[in-house]
Amino acid sequence: MSMMQASQTDSQNAAAKRPSTANIMRWVIIATLPGIVTMSYFFGLGVLSNVLLAAAFGMAFEAAILRLRKRPIRVTLNDSSALLTGVLLGVSLPPASPWWLIGVGMVAAIIVAKQLYGGLGHNPFNPAMVGYALLLVSFPTYMTLWAPPQGAVPTDLWAHISGSLPTAQLDSLSGATPLDAFKHKSEAMLASEFWAAQPLPSGTLTAWRLIAVAWLVGGVLLLVKRIISWHIPVAMLSSMILLATLFYLSSPSHAGSPLFHLLTGATLFGAFFIATDPVSAATSRRGKLIYGAGIGALIMIIRSVGGYPDAVAFAVLLMNLCVPLLDLYSVPRPTGHASRGDRR
Amino acid sequence: MPTAFDFPGGIYPPERKHRSQQSALLEAPLPRQVILPLQQHSGQPSTPCVNEGDVVKVGSIIARQEGMISSHLHASISGVIVEISATQITIDSDGRDDWQRLPEMNWQLSEPLALLERLNDSGIVGLGGAGFPTHIKTRVVEQHSIHTLVINAAECEPYITADDLTLRHYAGDVLEGAQLIAKLCGARHIVIGIEDNKPEAIEALRQVLSTSQPLAVQLKVIPTRYPSGGERQLIKKLLDLNVPSGGLPADVGVLCHNPGTLLACLQAVRDGQPLVSRVVTLTGDALAQPGNRWVRLGTSVRELLEQAGLDRAQLSHVIQGGPMMGSPLLTLDTPVTKLTNCLIAATFDELPQAPAESPCIRCGECESVCPVALLPQQLHWYARAKDDAKMQHYHLFDCIECGACSYVCPSHIPLVDDYRDAKNRLRHQRIETLKAEHAKHRFEFRQARIAREEAEKQARREARQSQNRRTPTAAASATSGEVDLRGLRIAHAAAKASVRKAEKTLARVAQEDPKQSLEDLEIQLATAQENLRAADIQLAQARKQQATETPAPAQNKESL
Ligand code: SF4
Ligand code: SF4
C-alpha cells in the first residue's frame, strides 16, 4: 500500500516542483531548437550565424555591464537569461544580418532594456523586442533583407555577416516576407488576385508555415514542461483569430484569412516565446489573459491599419507598457474577503 | 480550476510519511529528567507554584496560568523539582511514575462549566501546533452559535503521522472527545476531514463511526494536497464556507480541533489525566527506527532521537514540526513541549539547504499555488522595499505562512521569511504607536487596583466596627441605604459586563492572530477584573449593612 503511494506522490511531485530560474531559461532555449533548425533549413546558415552572434554578444555585454555595476558575473551569466535574449533576437533578424546590426540590437536589448533597469526581473520591456524594434525603425533596409528560401550556404554569406556587402547590392537581395508582400499589395488588388498572381518565390509560403509549426512544437514542449502557462498564448491567439475572422468576414476580398495571420510572420513564435516572457508580462492569471488578448488585438490592428506588416514586437512592447496597470487592477480577491465587505 | 468546494492553489510535496507510518505507536522510555518550559502555549507563560526540592507526582500542577490566554503546567514524571528558572522547571525522576489524577468525570452527565474547568485544570491546549488553550477556544463560542465541529485530521504536512497513528489506535476515543467538545459548544454536526493518504486511519474511523453518539459523525475523505489541513482551507473544502479575512471559523459557525487534542480532552475528563504526554512523530533518514511515540512532555529531543537510532554522521539538521512550516532546531538539548508534533532528523540529501536566491522573474508560479489567492511576488517586492501600505493593499495579513510559494519559486526566494519579517515589523510598529495608550491602560489598572484595595480595607474596617458597636451611624437614613444598593448593583453588573467584553476581545484577538502581543489587552482585562472585584466587595458590604439595617457609609458612594 505505502509503496504504491510513495511512487504515486513522487510522480506528482516531479510535476509540481519547479525547475530553477536558470533551468527555465535553458528549457526555453531548448524549445527554440525546432524553430531554429527549420528556419536554418529554409534560410540557410545565416540563421545560425545570427543566433550564435547574438548569443555571444548577449553574454559579452552582460558580463561587461555586470562588471561596471560591480555585480557578481558568473552567477548571473549562469542564469542563461542573456543567452536566451540573444537567441530570441537572433531568430527574429533576417538571415545573415551583419554583425554590427546584431551588436547594436543586443546593446539595446541587454544594456539599455535590461541592465539599465536593474537587471533580470526588473526590466519593464521585453529586451529582445526592444532590440528588434530599435533595429526595425533605425535600419529598415537591413531589417527587410529576407531573401527567398535558398540553399544552406547562401551566396555571399560571409560578406553579409561581416557587413562588407555593398549597399547597392542590398536591394537586389531583399525579398519580401508573405506578410510584407500582402501588406504592400496595391489597394485595388483583391486578395484572390494577389494569391493567384503567385507573388512570392516558390516555396516561400510553405517555408513560413512549416517554421510556424516548428515554433508551435517548441511552444507545446514549454506548456507540457510547465515552463509557461497557457494563459498568455491562448488569450493572444484567440483574440487574434477572433479579430482576423471579423476582418475577414467584413471584407473577404481584401483581408488575409485567419489562418494566414496565424501561420505567417512571428505570430506563433511571439505567442509562445516572446509574449510569455514572465518578467515583462502581467503576473496574475487574470492579468495574463488580458495581457495576451491585448497583444493579439494589437497585432491584428497594426497589421490591418498600421504601417508595419508583422507587428508582434510593437504589440508586445505596447502591452508591456500596460503591465503595471494590469497588475494593479487584477489583484485577485483573497479567500475570505468576499464575505466581509470592505474589511481590509 | 478550483470547484466551489475547493480552495485555490496548493502543492504536492513528496509525502515521506511511510517511514513513520509503518511502525506501531510505542511508549517512549520514561525520561530520567524533564525540562518543562513555562511557555508551551500561546499567550502568557505560566507562573511556577512549586519550590525547588518539592516532591511532585505525575499530574501535579507545577505552574499556574497567568492571565487569561494561558495554561496550567503539570509535572510529567514523578520526582523532585531540582531547578526553577525564569523560563523553565526541571524535574528529576524518582523512577516510580506515581500519578496524581483528578477525579474521573462522566462528560455526558456533567455540567458544561465543570467540563470547561476540567479542560482548564488539565492544561489542555491545541496540539496541532499553535497551542491555543482549549478551554478558551471552546469559550469563544459563547458569542457564536456553532453548528459544526470539524475534526481536522487532514495532517497535510509531509512526514508527520502523529494524528494518523492516533486515529488508528484511538479512533473511538477521538470521536468521543469530539462528542464531548460538540456538547460544550453546542454543535449539531461533527465532520471529520482526512486526506486519502491515510487508508488505515480511515478504516479505523469507519469501524467506530456508527457507534459514536449522540451526534452522527460524518467522514469526509479528501484528496491529498498541501495545505488542505489549514483551518480555512479545510472548512472551505468540507463545508464550502469562507472564513472571513481576519475572522475565526466561529464566525461561520465552525470549530476545528485536531484528533490529538480531542483525545487529550477525553482523557482529561474521563480519566482525570492532565496533559503530560503527547504523540510525537520521529522521522527522517538519519533515524534507524522512525515511528510515533507517546512522549512525556519535557523529554529531551536528543534522548528521544538517540533512542530511535540517530545516526550522528548522517544528520544534517533536526526540524521541529513539518518540513513546510516547521523550524530547524538550533540545539538538540531542547525538550519536547505540548507543541512538538514531529521531529525530523534529516540527512544532507533529504532536505538540502535552499540554493542561493536569484531575482524574481515574475513567473507567477507562487501565485498559482497560494491557497489564499494572494500575489506572493508583489508582496515580496513590497516587503523588500519595506512599503507597508502596499503590503497591506496586497493583504499581507491574510497570508497563512504555509510556504507553498517559497516551495515552488524557481528563483529560490525565501518568500515566507520575508512575509514573517514584514508582519513582525508591522506588529511592532502597531505596538509602538499604541504605546501612549498602553501607558494609559497601565495607569488605569493601577487606579483600579488602588480602588479595589481601598474597598477591601473599607470592608474590613466596617466589619470591625459593626462587631465592636452595633449601633447605626447617625448621619444616614434607611432610604439612602436602599438607593445605594441599587446603584451598587448596577455598577456591579456594568463591571461584570466589561470583564466579559474584555475577555471576549482578548480571546478573539489571541485566536485570530496568535503571534500578536497580548499584553495590553491582558492589562485591560485585569483592570476590568479589579473593578469587578471592588464592586463585588462593595455590593456585599452594602447588602450586609442593609440586612443589619445599617446605612452604607458615605465613602462608598464617592468611590463609585
Ligand atoms: S515564484 Fe518566485 S520567481 Fe516566480 S513570481 Fe513568484 S517570487 Fe517571482
Ligand atoms: S505563504 Fe502566504 S503567500 Fe505564500 S502561498 Fe502560503 S499563504 Fe500564500
Side-chain angles (χ1 to χ4, degrees), chain B residues 440-456 523-535 537-538 559:
Chain B
K440 194 181 101 198
H441 290 147
R442 257 200 282 245
F443 175 74
E444 283 169 359
F445 171 64
R446 257 198 308 275
Q447 295 291 97
R449 202 186 52 205
I450 292 167
R452 192 255 304 154
E453 283 166 2
E454 189 52 44
E456 276 174 356
I523 286 179
Q524 289 179 48
L525 173 59
T527 310
Q529 282 167 342
E530 290 289 340
N531 286 332
L532 177 59
R533 234 171 279 159
I537 295 165
Q538 285 161 353
S559 72

Side-chain angles (χ1 to χ4, degrees), chain A residues 32-255:
Chain A
T32 58
L33 291 181
I36 294 178
V37 169
T38 318
M39 276 185 84
S40 306
Y41 175 79
F42 288 112
F43 291 108
L45 286 180
V47 175
L48 269 182
S49 73
N50 280 353
V51 170
L52 294 180
L53 260 176
F57 274 129
M59 303 283 275
F61 293 155
E62 179 116 319
I65 195 147
L66 284 172
R67 196 183 171 123
L68 282 177
R69 292 180 63 203
K70 300 197 173 59
R71 295 288 164 93
I73 297 178
R74 181 114 53 82
V75 195
T76 312
L77 276 191
N78 235 335
D79 70 26
S80 301
S81 60
L83 196 67
L84 176 60
T85 303
V87 171
L88 295 181
L89 181 62
V91 295
S92 313
L93 298 176
S97 293
W99 66 270
W100 57 264
L101 189 83
I102 298 175
V104 171
M106 288 308 288
V107 166
I110 295 291
I111 298 188
V112 179
K114 182 175 168 193
Q115 290 291 344
L116 289 190
Y117 280 99
L120 179 64
H122 298 269
N123 45 301
F125 298 103
N126 183 318
M129 288 304 101
V130 169
Y132 180 85
L134 176 99
L135 295 179
L136 192 60
V137 287
S138 314
F139 307 101
T141 345
Y142 286 95
M143 293 299 282
T144 47
L145 276 185
W146 286 92
Q150 52 189 311
V153 188
T155 39
D156 299 327
L157 175 66
W158 178 243
H160 273 281
I161 299 171
S162 63
S164 56
L165 207 65
T167 333
Q169 234 180 300
L170 283 176
D171 277 348
S172 67
L173 276 170
S174 81
T177 65
L179 273 172
D180 215 2
F182 190 77
K183 170 111 209 152
H184 295 112
K185 72 183 164 58
S186 70
E187 276 294 320
M189 195 184 248
L190 297 175
S192 50
E193 287 172 357
F194 172 79
W195 292 120
Q198 302 218 331
L200 296 161
S202 67
T204 307
L205 207 56
T206 323
W208 281 101
R209 286 189 171 156
L210 285 175
I211 290 168
V213 170
W215 291 123
L216 179 65
V217 169
V220 170
L221 175 69
L222 292 180
L223 282 175
V224 170
K225 294 297 292 181
R226 302 214 325 135
I227 302 291
I228 59 174
S229 75
W230 56 270
H231 301 81
I232 294 176
V234 167
M236 166 176 157
L237 296 176
S238 320
S239 88
M240 266 192 82
I241 293 172
L242 185 76
L243 273 187
T245 313
L246 280 181
F247 288 152
Y248 188 60
L249 289 181
S250 62
S251 88
S253 50
H254 280 89

Side-chain angles (χ1 to χ4, degrees), chain A residues 1-3 5-6 9-10 12-14 16-22 24-25 79 120-122 226 230-231 277-286 288 323 327-328 330-340 343-344, chain B residues 1 8 12-15 18 21-22 196-199 224 233 242-247 251 358-365 367-368 371-375 377-378 381 390 393-395 398 406-408 410-412 508 512:
Chain A
M1 176 52 84
S2 58
M3 279 292 284
Q5 276 174 4
T9 37
D10 282 350
Q12 268 175 342
N13 184 54
K17 179 75 182 169
R18 298 257 306 169
S20 69
T21 297
I24 290 177
M25 301 292 169
D79 70 26
L120 179 64
H122 298 269
R226 302 214 325 135
W230 56 270
H231 301 81
D277 164 36
V279 176
S280 53
T283 52
S284 72
R285 266 167 282 184
R286 197 144 53 102
K288 279 181 178 151
V323 162
D327 279 350
L328 196 62
S330 62
V331 182
R333 184 190 285 276
T335 34
H337 275 271
S339 45
R340 213 187 236 197
R343 178 171 171 165
R344 291 230 153 132
Chain B
M1 281 271 108
Y12 302 92
E15 288 173 26
H18 55 282
Q21 223 166 20
Q22 278 155 344
D196 58 10
N197 59 356
K198 306 172 188 63
T224 299
Q233 284 65 40
N242 281 313
V243 179
S245 162
D251 292 330
S358 55
C360 167
I361 53 166
R362 296 168 35 97
C363 64
E365 198 59 24
E367 177 207 346
S368 69
V372 194
L374 299 176
L375 292 179
Q377 76 274 38
Q378 304 290 68
W381 178 264
K390 271 290 193 324
H393 172 76
Y394 284 100
H395 311 294
D398 283 306
S406 312
Y407 180 76
V408 294
S411 293
H412 309 297
R508 169 168 278 280
E512 274 173 2

